[in-house]
Amino acid sequence: MCQLLGMNCNVPTDIVFSFEGFHRRGGLTDHHADGWGIAFFEERGCRLFLDYLPSISSPIAELVRAYPIKSRNVIAHIRKATQGTVNLANTHPFRRELWGQYWIFAHNGNLDSLPSLQGSRFQPVGDTDSEQAFCWLLDALAKRFDVAPTYDALHTALKSLTAELADRGSFNFLLSNGEVLFARCSTDLHYIIRRAPFSTAHLADADVSVDFSSVTTPDDRVAVIATQPLTDNETWTRMDSGQLLMFVDGEPVA
């Protein structure tokens, strides 16, 4: 299966520390070596970096490690291919426009079958189950809502629609439009909320620590979501199977 990483904050924050551990899971501390990608929202825009190389040896990963891009919503993915060949078209995260907003999606799991996309304006470019599921999900939302709904209404719709897809296989995913971040657990997904008083965190995949009290303000709040905990000295919350959380300003609100 793949590895997911998400971040949702109340102020623009860089993900350098989490990414330092996360990128090692793409071929060094874990066997996920079929490409990787990361998306940073900046206001209404989105920077999307993709590579079909393993993240541990990717020059683009080195760029991300050295470039502290600040964002309130980030989604990253390390791929272990189950469906589709290893190429850029099949590399997560995927991006589409809906209601005049960019939507970013990354999936960990395997879907045995998928609903038809005949007649949909959302069509996959690659040949993964993940991208097809993303297109179906956006098409279903577009049919339900002519304009962007309230986030409570969107959460309710997503809970119903994603349960339908989860009946077809394993469906862990992260989804964001740059304002909120949705996280759904099917098998493995964990999160942590960092807020004042901040402490020192140590990575599980490298001997690297950071004292967050020295790089934050008392008002900062950061939610980090990952397939497996990224640190070994903090308490992460394991999500329940079938749970869909909506993160806003660095904390779950649904």
Side-chain angles (χ1 to χ4, degrees):
M1 294 297 180
C2 306
Q3 294 274 339
L4 296 171
L5 170 63
M7 184 178 73
N8 170 268
C9 320
N10 66 337
V11 295
T13 304
D14 75 66
I15 201 170
V16 170
F17 175 70
S18 294
F19 188 75
E20 181 62 34
F22 183 72
H23 93 284
R24 294 168 182 264
R25 297 181 179 182
L28 181 62
T29 61
D30 212 333
H31 54 269
H32 305 74
D34 297 326
W36 73 281
I38 189 168
F40 300 85
F41 280 97
E42 295 178 59
E43 297 180 350
R44 294 181 61 82
C46 181
R47 300 178 192 245
L48 180 59
F49 299 91
L50 302 171
D51 198 350
Y52 55 81
L53 296 175
S55 56
I56 192 60
S57 58
S58 166
I60 300 176
E62 290 301 308
L63 167 66
V64 172
R65 291 176 65 203
Y67 187 8
I69 301 171
K70 292 185 180 295
S71 174
R72 291 180 59 195
N73 286 278
V74 178
I75 290 179
H77 180 275
I78 295 174
R79 187 178 182 220
K80 185 177 187 299
T82 55
Q83 296 188 38
T85 56
V86 177
N87 57 39
L88 278 182
N90 288 333
T91 304
H92 307 221
F94 300 107
R95 175 170 58 182
R96 293 292 191 279
E97 176 275 329
L98 175 63
W99 306 312
Q101 303 169 340
Y102 284 128
W103 287 88
I104 294 290
F105 173 87
H107 167 225
N108 169 30
N110 188 53
L111 299 172
D112 298 325
S113 63
L114 287 161
S116 172
L117 287 173
Q118 185 175 1
S120 171
R121 72 178 176 97
F122 301 99
Q123 295 292 329
V125 177
D127 54 359
T128 64
D129 55 330
S130 305
E131 188 183 16
Q132 187 171 343
F134 181 36
C135 290
W136 180 86
L137 190 60
L138 293 184
D139 182 64
L141 289 173
K143 289 176 179 176
R144 289 197 183 196
F145 306 106
D146 292 332
V147 297
T150 66
Y151 288 128
D152 285 342
L154 182 57
H155 179 265
T156 299
L158 283 172
K159 188 173 183 179
S160 171
L161 293 169
T162 57
E164 182 176 342
L165 288 173
D167 286 340
R168 300 168 180 263
S170 178
F171 198 48
N172 308 278
F173 73 79
L174 300 176
L175 173 72
S176 180
N177 67 343
E179 295 183 2
V180 299
L181 189 151
F182 293 96
R184 187 190 190 279
C185 176
S186 180
T187 53
D188 284 307
L189 208 54
H190 301 72
Y191 71 90
I192 188 170
I193 309 299
R194 296 193 179 112
R195 50 162 53 98
F198 291 97
S199 59
T200 298
H202 180 268
L203 290 175
D205 296 84
D207 189 15
V208 177
S209 299
V210 64
D211 179 3
F212 283 112
S213 66
S214 66
V215 294
T216 56
T217 73
D219 295 326
D220 291 0
R221 188 169 57 247
V222 180
V224 180
I225 307 99
T227 300
Q228 295 295 334
L230 292 168
T231 57
D232 54 17
N233 67 332
E234 297 179 293
T235 301
W236 290 66
T237 299
R238 184 187 181 101
M239 292 178 59
D240 296 330
S241 179
Q243 187 176 20
L244 175 68
L245 291 178
M246 179 172 67
F247 291 85
V248 181
D249 291 334
E251 60 184 350
V253 297

